[in-house]
Amino acid sequence: PVQGPLTGKHILITAGPTHEPIDPVRYIANRSSGKQGFAIAAAAARAGATVTLIAGPVTLPTPPGVTRVDVETARQMDAAVDAALPADVAIMVAAVADWRSADEAQQKIKKDGSGKIPPLHLVENPDILATLAKSDRRPPLVIGFAAETNDVLAHATAKLARKGADWIVANDVATHLMGGEVNALHIVSASGVESLPEMTKDAAATALVKRISDAIA
Ligand code: C5P
């Protein structure tokens, strides 16, 4: 095992999208690639942490030294997070689908030729971050992410309180499209905002992990 500033710390990370089935062949998803979350898992492992990475459906290799749990849906991710506790730090990078089908069909929904369009009724998924932040097994440092297309800092500041997180790491997905190689992170906490310049997702991960080790040292 690597010795570093996070040796002896358990860091729990969620990454990637979730897939919410509509029927056996269709699902609701989003454009998350998982790259930023996987880069953070890799950086935390390089800093000596014991890392559990709960990954939605992505096509990325597991970073060296990281324990990976693959899930598909938000409810599976929620259960996997719970099962991985306790942790010293939780970093919720996953782009969890906000809604899932209220009535997942057990057989493929067919066009019946009448031109009638089937309705898609949605229900809300569990908010994994908010649930964890309020739980009695809350890790001492809980970090959420916010992917926004507008008013990034205002939304991030509101999210800090609404989710009960210690930090919200915001990024602008209008200028940095999901799936890209670079990111510009804004770390929002009770003590203010630190805006990092645009850099690769690996460099952004290293910078974030440095701030985490400084905060919990
Ligand atoms: O509310 P919003 O989806 O923008 O919040 C984003 C943050 O909340 C991210 O850290 C994400 O991983 C987390 N989240 C979650 N469970 C949800 C929705 C979001 O953990 N159902």
Side-chain angles (χ1 to χ4, degrees):
V2 183
Q3 291 294 311
L6 291 175
T7 294
K9 302 294 183 187
H10 180 211
I11 302 204
L12 174 56
I13 299 169
T14 66
T18 63
H19 286 182
E20 309 297 332
I22 296 169
D23 69 16
V25 300
R26 304 184 179 98
Y27 57 82
I28 300 169
N30 61 62
R31 294 187 186 280
S32 171
S33 66
K35 283 178 194 161
Q36 186 64 77
F38 274 58
I40 293 167
R46 287 196 302 270
T50 301
V51 181
T52 305
L53 173 62
I54 319 277
V58 294
T59 53
L60 293 172
T62 308
V66 167
T67 301
R68 173 176 182 171
V69 180
D70 284 312
V71 298
E72 196 160 312
T73 68
R75 283 179 295 173
Q76 289 166 358
M77 187 173 277
D78 195 33
V81 165
D82 195 66
L85 294 174
D88 298 289
V89 183
I91 317 172
M92 302 301 189
V93 197
V96 182
D98 289 312
W99 304 284
R100 67 175 184 273
S101 171
D103 38 24
E104 180 188 342
Q106 295 311 309
Q107 294 182 327
K108 183 181 175 189
I109 301 167
K110 303 291 288 178
K111 268 192 294 203
D112 66 4
S114 72
K116 238 181 86 193
I117 296 169
L120 180 58
H121 297 295
L122 301 178
V123 290
E124 203 164 314
N125 266 329
D127 191 315
I128 302 164
L129 169 60
T131 306
L132 181 66
K134 288 181 186 93
S135 89
D136 51 11
R137 302 171 79 205
R138 182 192 199 281
L141 181 60
V142 174
I143 303 172
F145 265 65
E148 306 289 352
T149 54
N150 56 284
D151 301 319
V152 175
L153 293 182
H155 284 305
T157 306
K159 197 159 292 184
L160 195 63
R162 184 155 43 79
K163 303 271 189 176
D166 299 301
W167 303 355
I168 291 286
V169 180
N171 62 298
D172 186 338
V173 291
T175 51
H176 298 93
L177 284 180
M178 287 172 114
E181 298 298 335
V182 297
N183 220 344
L185 303 182
H186 308 270
I187 303 173
V188 182
S189 70
S191 48
V193 181
E194 185 192 3
S195 292
L196 304 180
E198 180 178 294
M199 54 184 98
T200 65
K201 287 182 173 177
D202 284 327
T206 303
L208 179 63
V209 166
K210 170 82 171 77
R211 280 152 186 81
I212 292 168
S213 41
D214 289 348
I216 67 173

